[in-house]
């Protein structure tokens, strides 16, 4: 049993996989903030597509996106604080987080609006074989005579108007 993220790490750099997954080497501050920043990003994006996105023809202004992102970052920070050794690092990290989320949302909205398929984000944070209540079973593959179960969470699945085509979106 392995996760999609573990496979991605291994494919990207076998040594990083070895250091992270086998030796379990960690930088406590970096690991903590990276996890929390990732959770914040996912919260903002999931909430945006649940509450703000009205479909391929809808328009959301840059100002509305920025205000939404600021509000949701504050909400998510309550449960996922970022901690830095030096005080000046905090506002820099928040600004980078906000800017990257705003840029991503603007690019995603443009992609959704200009796609010929007219996709809509129908599924958000869908677990497969992971967590307490997975919505889908794990992906099972046979490799070299051994059955491998891959688990994980799909960030988003966009589906076309007719429900014939889907696009899996990973926020990394």
């Amino acid at each position: 049993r392995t996760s999609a993220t573990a496979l991605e790490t291994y494919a990207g750099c076998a040594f990083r996989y070895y250091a992270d997954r086998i030796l379990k080497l960690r930088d406590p501050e970096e690991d903590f903030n990276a996890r929390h920043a990732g959770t914040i990003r996912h919260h903002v994006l999931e909430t945006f597509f649940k509450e703000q996105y009205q479909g391929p023809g809808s328009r959301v202004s840059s100002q509305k996106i920025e205000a939404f992102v600021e509000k949701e970052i504050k909400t998510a920070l309550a449960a996922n604080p970022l901690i830095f050794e030096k005080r000046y690092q905090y506002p820099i990290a928040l600004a980078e987080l906000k800017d990257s989320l705003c840029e991503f949302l603007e690019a995603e909205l443009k992609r959704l609006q200009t796609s010929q398929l007219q996709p809509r984000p129908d599924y958000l944070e869908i677990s497969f074989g992971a967590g307490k209540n997975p919505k889908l079973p794990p992906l099972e593959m046979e490799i070299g005579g051994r059955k491998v179960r891959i688990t994980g969470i799909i960030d988003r699945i966009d589906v076309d108007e007719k429900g014939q085509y889907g696009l899996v979106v990973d926020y990394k």
Side-chain angles (χ1 to χ4, degrees):
R1 182 174 210 152
T2 189
S3 72
T5 301
L7 289 175
E8 184 180 34
T9 301
Y10 183 79
C13 178
F15 182 75
R16 178 163 186 123
Y17 176 88
Y18 179 71
D20 287 351
R21 304 282 176 157
I22 307 301
L23 298 178
K24 303 205 183 298
L25 300 177
R26 302 271 188 265
D27 176 340
E29 182 180 301
E30 181 181 322
D31 189 48
F32 179 85
N33 283 334
R35 260 186 295 116
H36 281 219
T39 301
I40 292 167
R41 278 187 176 88
H42 281 260
H43 165 81
V44 171
L45 296 170
E46 180 181 11
T47 305
F48 180 85
F49 284 108
K50 276 184 181 173
E51 297 178 5
Q52 299 293 310
Y53 185 70
Q54 302 299 316
S58 68
R59 302 272 185 237
V60 182
S61 71
S62 296
Q63 294 80 11
K64 189 170 183 178
I65 290 171
E66 188 174 332
F68 176 85
V69 167
E70 282 182 15
K71 177 176 107 18
E72 290 303 321
I73 286 174
K74 285 179 185 172
T75 300
L77 277 170
N80 303 283
L82 300 177
I83 299 171
F84 295 95
E85 189 176 317
K86 300 195 173 38
R87 192 181 319 180
Y88 72 87
Q89 294 172 311
Y90 187 78
I92 293 170
L94 284 184
E96 287 175 353
L97 186 60
K98 181 183 125 193
D99 291 348
S100 67
L101 282 163
C102 288
E103 286 176 25
F104 179 81
L105 281 170
E106 288 185 19
E108 273 299 280
L109 290 176
K110 185 175 182 179
R111 185 187 66 76
L112 288 166
Q113 291 165 353
T114 58
S115 172
Q116 290 180 354
L117 292 176
Q118 296 292 295
R120 56 185 191 274
D122 275 1
Y123 303 98
L124 303 164
E125 301 294 328
I126 302 296
S127 61
F128 59 101
K132 293 180 183 175
N133 298 311
K135 294 183 179 173
L136 299 171
L139 172 65
E140 292 187 359
M141 300 170 62
E142 193 163 316
I143 301 172
R146 291 180 55 182
K147 192 179 280 190
V148 177
R149 288 189 177 134
I150 301 172
T151 64
I153 298 175
I154 300 169
D155 296 334
R156 194 175 89 218
I157 303 174
D158 296 346
V159 179
D160 75 316
E161 285 182 49
K162 297 176 185 174
Q164 293 179 319
Y165 301 100
L167 174 68
V168 174
V169 179
D170 184 29
Y171 295 143
K172 288 186 189 96

